[in-house]
Structure formats: structure tokens, C-alpha cells
Amino acid sequence: MLSQWPFSPAPSGGEQMLDIPMKGSKVLIKGMRYHELEKWVQSYGYRPAQALMLWKRLYGNNIWAHCSEELEGLNKDFKRMLAEHAEFKALELKDMLTASDGTRKVNMSLCLMAMLCIRLHIQTSSLQFSPRKVTISTSGLVPQIKRLLKESNCALAVSLNATTDEVRNWVMLINRKYNLGLLLGTLREELRLKHKYKVLFEYVMLAGVNDSVEDAKRLIDLVQGIPCKINLISFNPHGGSQFKPTRDEKMVEFRNILAKAGCVVLLRFSRGDDQMAAWRNPGSLAQSPT
């Protein structure tokens, strides 16, 4: 059972009380902010520098440790203390969805993701990477998008996937609550206050649904006044889906229309890899960079 208990540091750490999430008798180490982790480590008689080394092994240096055995380079006594007093697993997010492009994604509320990004924004000096390297993807939760853009510099990706409310109501139910006008109007207004910031619009192309020339022209109009890039994604067919992917040639035609209008377009084909090409000017499929 998870709880939020006042944590009494070890005797060597003084009398200061910390509110640290617990699981049984162990602290949830991935529920701490950096300054909390530093104080907790010091309460067991270890130096702040060791807290920083631990933090980087939890969240940086391509390690992302999930147990004490994965904490390479740390003092043996320090690792022993962590194994005894710390729980490395994060809170579980169990709602897994199949996205329209066939990929599996965790259905985490944007509010929670915004909080995580705000925390990252505060703590990136210790991790030595920019919050803009972290991308939050959303179907279009307008109130949470507002908060994210006001309080964080994390990158934002919005799944658009349609150019009319009629189609988006069908392929993305969230549109029935936050329609295209509200979503795009909010982005247009909020991004006026962000310097050198672009939103990424993800557009999964569905044969006969959202891939017409008229769709391309409407998309150009929809994103007017919004600093953005547009990511055209080939639909990845999966069991139970009623949709089919747009042909590569038609994706290129769609891309060319957008690029000719001055849009920055990313084009991703379904070829078993994640190669993407950025375009400002039209060209042929054969000219796609490797």
C-alpha cells in the first residue's frame, strides 16, 4: 500500500522532517524531488555528491536504473543502504492503449505529465539536458495544454489526425469535448507568449478518411498563425482496425501541398524503422534523404 508519511531521517541527519512517498517501510525513491533525495541521502551520512550520482543513474546517462544492482559506479555501502531502504519502482500507470498508428502508449493524464515536466524543468541542471528534449504527446486536452505551455518548456506534440470536426469526432473522441476550433485557438493564443517554441502536430494518414487534397488545403488553413511542424505518419495496420494506410505516393503528394504553402513537414513511412525527413520544399519520394 502506498502512503505519504512524514519521514524521520536517520539520527545522523538531524531533526528535519521530510514528506516522502513510502511503500511499506521503504521510500519510493522515484517519488522524490532532487532536493528531497539529497536530504534523504545526507540523513544516512552520505555526501550530496553521492545524491547527484544516484540521481543521474536514476534519470540520466542512458541508465535509468530500476534496482540497486543497476547502480554502477556507486559506493558499495551506499548501494547496500539503498537496497535496504529504497524502493526503485515508480508508480504504475496501467492503462495501455493502441494508438491510431498502431503503437502502444500509456494513457497518462496530461495533468500528471505536465507536473512531471514542470519537475523536470526545475531539475534539469542536475541532469544536464534541456526540458525541450522531453516531448509530451496529447490528443488535445485544452486546460492541461494551457497549464503545460505556461509552466513548462517541455516540447508538445498534439495528435490532430483530421481537418474537420466531423472526421475528428469519429477518429478521436476527445474532439467532442475540445473541438478543433477550441484546440487550435488555444494553441494560437498560448504560443504567442512562447519564444522560439513550436508545437508538433501529429497527423496519422488514413486512406480515404483524411488524406485528400482538400484535407491538405484545410490543414494549411488550420495551422495558420501557430508556430508548428507537421508530422505525417503512415498508419500501421493492426488487428481489429477498420482503417487502412495511405499509399506512400499519396503521402508525398499531401506533403508537397503543405511544403509548397511554407509548412515544415516531417514524413514518416511505415518501413519498419523511424527514419524521418524534414521538408520545406516539395520533392519526389526518390529524393528523400537517408
Side-chain angles (χ1 to χ4, degrees), residues 93-131:
L93 301 164
K94 298 181 179 178
D95 191 4
M96 187 73 76
L97 302 176
T98 300
S100 57
D101 61 358
T103 59
R104 301 284 285 175
K105 297 181 179 179
V106 175
N107 184 25
M108 186 192 300
S109 77
L110 188 64
C111 184
L112 175 56
M113 289 191 287
M115 290 300 295
L116 292 175
C117 262
I118 292 164
R119 179 178 293 186
L120 279 171
H121 178 67
I122 295 170
Q123 297 169 338
T124 47
S125 59
S126 63
L127 294 180
Q128 298 179 335
F129 70 87
S130 166

Side-chain angles (χ1 to χ4, degrees), residues 9 33 47 66 81 99 108 120 130 163 201 241-242 259 281-282:
R33 297 175 177 86
R47 295 176 291 105
H66 291 86
M81 183 278 289
M108 186 192 300
L120 279 171
S130 166
T163 61
F201 286 118
S241 172
Q242 59 186 305
N281 299 299

Side-chain angles (χ1 to χ4, degrees), residues 66-77:
H66 291 86
C67 63
S68 59
E69 288 76 15
E70 295 177 354
L71 299 173
E72 297 180 1
L74 296 188
N75 178 281
K76 289 183 179 180
D77 291 337

Side-chain angles (χ1 to χ4, degrees), residues 95-107 137 159 202 204 233-239 268 270 273-274:
D95 191 4
M96 187 73 76
L97 302 176
T98 300
S100 57
D101 61 358
T103 59
R104 301 284 285 175
K105 297 181 179 179
V106 175
N107 184 25
S137 181
S159 297
E202 296 180 322
V204 177
I233 304 170
S234 179
F235 175 68
N236 186 16
H238 51 88
R268 188 168 78 195
S270 181
D273 59 36
D274 289 328

Side-chain angles (χ1 to χ4, degrees), residues 160 162 164-180:
L160 207 57
T164 66
D165 283 324
E166 180 182 9
V167 173
R168 200 166 190 267
N169 285 346
W170 173 35
V171 299
M172 301 193 70
L173 297 182
I174 190 67
N175 197 73
R176 300 177 186 181
K177 186 171 184 178
Y178 304 114
N179 64 26
L180 282 170

